[in-house]
Amino acid sequence: MSAAAAPPRAAAISSLHTDILESHILTRLDGRTLASAAASSAALRSLSENNHRLWSDVCHSTWPSTAGDLVDGIVSNFGPREFFSQSFPLPSPDPTTPPRNPNPNPSLPSPSPSAPSGLISAVDVYYRNELIFSKTEETETVTGWFRCSPFRIDLLDPKDTVPTRIPHPNREDTCTALIDDMTLSWILIDPISKRAVNLSSNKPVSVQRHWLSGEVQVRFASVLSGGGDTAAAAVVIVVNCGGSEGGEMQVTELSMEVEDMDGKHLNGRDSLVILQRAMEGKRGNGVKREKEARNRHRKFEELKRERRERKLRIEGTLDTLSVVFGLSIFAALFFVFC
């Protein structure tokens, strides 16, 4: 009896024609999958690494705001693959975890000589994978007004609204569904130094509905390394949504601010130092971006609460000591003069 025929060996992917790989396989992958594929094979790495057209299409499909004339030229100047690698993952390391070797002089420095003279925001908002808002915005960073005023970037004027086809949530349970249904990307770009960082948690860290007006506030956040006496600072992105006459939700505000662990909004000068540090720093794991961002925000809020409670205890102790000291002085004067 003859031995059973051995099963045919699977053909290596490198045996496929280059045109098939480039035109019919790599073009169907999203950025994260394309990066993983390039790391798994020398042939795929060779085909994808320097394929600027391929990575440019990936950037534009991932973030439609990058397809406009303003940002498209910047992406080409960066190199589309490098732009994606900077803009997709979450900034690293986690600033809510105490460092092994803390800085003995944690004062917040001035912006370095290479600090950007202007920043560009590329913002995209999705609801259930459908694009509902996309915009680019330029922000100057050199005037005294910017450096001394609270840092804030507004993408909508006070009277502007963005209509959507999303039913306006009329109950708290339908409101919280936005945590899974809405995603946002806010890429901050320094075009001169060729640096970029995505400051959004991708999915919301919280959703709140005002009990009276029915306005819904969706908050995204990214926790970054801080300075001064605070180890971390949070970039908070707020999307406020009201209801239209037809019952659909419309975006009335889309803004970004930076706050410290006391909940105080930082000015442009201090915010620029933190943002510049995030642009120059390492990037984390893009696969777990949403989970990591939410964990960081949760720990940041816990640290804020502990810090606030500690300050209240100290203030209470000082008030008690002040009262005791005042009563002691009064008692001493009473015995001296009476």
Side-chain angles (χ1 to χ4, degrees), residues 20-338:
I20 296 177
L21 288 172
E22 287 186 321
S23 303
H24 300 284
I25 296 179
L26 297 183
T27 55
R28 298 175 182 271
L29 305 180
D30 59 24
R32 185 170 65 187
T33 308
L34 180 60
S36 299
S40 66
S41 163
L44 293 178
R45 182 169 63 252
S46 176
L47 289 174
S48 65
E49 231 174 30
N50 298 315
N51 192 330
H52 291 273
R53 178 66 182 177
L54 176 63
W55 281 102
S56 181
D57 290 342
V58 166
C59 289
H60 297 341
S61 61
T62 307
W63 309 296
S65 58
T66 63
D69 293 338
L70 177 63
V71 182
D72 185 37
I74 296 173
V75 172
S76 299
N77 192 30
F78 273 51
R81 183 174 176 274
E82 176 63 22
F83 183 86
F84 185 89
S85 67
Q86 291 189 38
S87 303
F88 185 77
L90 196 68
S92 180
D94 181 359
T96 60
T97 301
R100 294 183 179 179
N101 299 310
N103 183 1
N105 184 18
S107 59
L108 193 66
S110 299
S112 71
S114 61
S117 58
L119 298 171
I120 296 175
S121 299
V123 183
D124 300 285
V125 185
Y126 284 86
Y127 177 78
R128 293 184 178 176
N129 297 321
E130 179 182 348
L131 184 68
I132 62 174
F133 181 85
S134 183
K135 187 178 181 180
T136 57
E137 181 80 9
E138 294 184 82
T139 304
E140 63 82 18
T141 62
V142 295
T143 62
W145 181 89
F146 168 85
R147 298 193 173 228
C148 297
S149 301
F151 176 84
R152 181 183 173 99
I153 299 178
D154 280 293
L155 297 187
L156 293 175
D157 292 330
K159 294 184 179 180
D160 289 346
T161 59
V162 178
T164 72
R165 292 183 294 178
I166 307 170
H168 189 265
N170 52 10
R171 299 192 314 273
E172 193 66 30
D173 56 341
T174 56
C175 175
T176 54
L178 291 174
I179 290 181
D180 295 320
D181 294 338
M182 185 176 284
T183 58
L184 180 145
S185 169
W186 190 309
I187 303 174
L188 201 65
I189 306 167
D190 175 6
I192 304 300
S193 300
K194 295 184 181 181
R195 299 190 188 101
V197 62
N198 199 327
L199 297 170
S200 173
S201 51
N202 192 44
K203 287 194 174 183
V205 295
S206 68
V207 179
Q208 295 179 334
R209 182 177 182 273
H210 193 277
W211 66 274
L212 181 60
S213 66
E215 186 176 65
V216 177
Q217 184 181 87
V218 187
R219 291 167 63 92
F220 302 80
S222 184
V223 180
L224 308 176
S225 297
D229 61 348
T230 179
V235 175
V236 180
I237 300 168
V238 175
V239 182
N240 281 333
C241 304
S244 66
E245 293 181 358
E248 292 85 13
M249 194 166 69
Q250 54 186 6
V251 181
T252 59
E253 178 189 340
L254 181 49
S255 62
M256 180 176 73
E257 295 177 311
V258 181
E259 66 177 37
D260 63 11
M261 295 182 67
D262 292 321
K264 181 182 70 174
H265 291 155
L266 301 182
N267 59 27
R269 172 189 171 278
D270 294 342
S271 298
L272 194 60
V273 173
I274 293 170
L275 296 174
Q276 184 182 8
R277 185 184 298 153
M279 288 184 181
E280 295 172 350
K282 297 180 180 179
R283 300 294 184 270
N285 187 348
V287 177
K288 300 180 179 179
R289 178 183 182 89
E290 296 162 8
K291 182 178 180 180
E292 176 69 15
R294 285 178 178 171
N295 286 339
R296 288 191 193 182
H297 183 261
R298 176 183 54 79
K299 289 191 287 185
F300 180 78
E301 292 297 317
E302 290 175 356
L303 292 173
K304 278 176 62 178
R305 183 176 64 254
E306 293 173 2
R307 186 183 179 94
R308 183 169 58 250
E309 292 173 352
R310 185 167 59 251
K311 289 181 68 175
L312 290 174
R313 287 196 299 268
I314 293 173
E315 290 174 358
T317 302
L318 292 175
D319 289 342
T320 302
L321 292 175
S322 298
V323 171
V324 171
F325 181 76
L327 290 175
S328 301
I329 295 296
F330 177 79
L333 293 174
F334 178 81
F335 284 112
V336 169
F337 294 102
C338 295

